[in-house]
Amino acid sequence: MLKEGDAAPEFKVLTDTGEEFVWPITRGKDRSLFLSRADTPGCTVESCSFRDSVKKFTKKGTVVGVSPDTTKAQAKFKEKFDLNFTLLADAEKESPINTA
């Protein structure tokens, strides 16, 4: 189980646009990763918080969210809340970090 500050292991999933995404994006850069379920109350608050402060995080790296949702659900959620970062769809729970 990962804790805040732990390095996420390498994994491959699809983005909200259906493209393959390989973590880590680039070595030597900070990345912010959070796990949530699309369009649930807690996820919405967390995602909108990242959206509103994304510049603080992207100065050093990349922000992505991952959840056990489909690409279609992720795309719909991203559009609904005008999210400005990539959402990863791990419906099959293939990533080693997705335990939701």
Side-chain angles (χ1 to χ4, degrees):
M1 176 76 104
L2 290 176
K3 297 183 291 295
E4 184 176 336
D6 287 352
E10 185 173 309
F11 63 90
K12 294 178 187 179
V13 292
L14 297 178
T15 68
D16 49 82
T17 61
E19 297 175 43
E20 185 178 77
F21 180 95
V22 180
W23 183 275
I25 303 165
T26 54
R27 303 231 181 251
K29 287 226 173 201
D30 289 340
R31 291 163 297 277
S32 298
L33 175 71
F34 64 97
L35 298 106
S36 295
R37 185 64 123 154
D39 218 2
T40 58
C43 175
T44 300
V45 169
E46 184 178 38
S47 296
C48 290
S49 177
F50 270 100
R51 177 201 63 207
D52 296 343
S53 59
V54 75
K55 288 182 182 179
K56 178 174 88 172
F57 293 97
T58 57
K59 287 180 183 177
K60 293 184 178 182
T62 304
V63 171
V64 296
V66 61
S67 71
D69 291 290
T70 64
T71 55
K72 184 177 178 179
Q74 294 290 52
K76 184 177 177 181
F77 179 62
K78 184 176 183 174
E79 183 177 339
K80 180 178 180 180
F81 291 100
D82 194 29
L83 301 178
N84 51 5
F85 49 86
T86 300
L87 295 177
L88 305 178
D90 189 16
E92 301 300 320
K93 296 185 179 182
E94 293 179 5
S95 78
I97 61 164
N98 198 348
T99 59

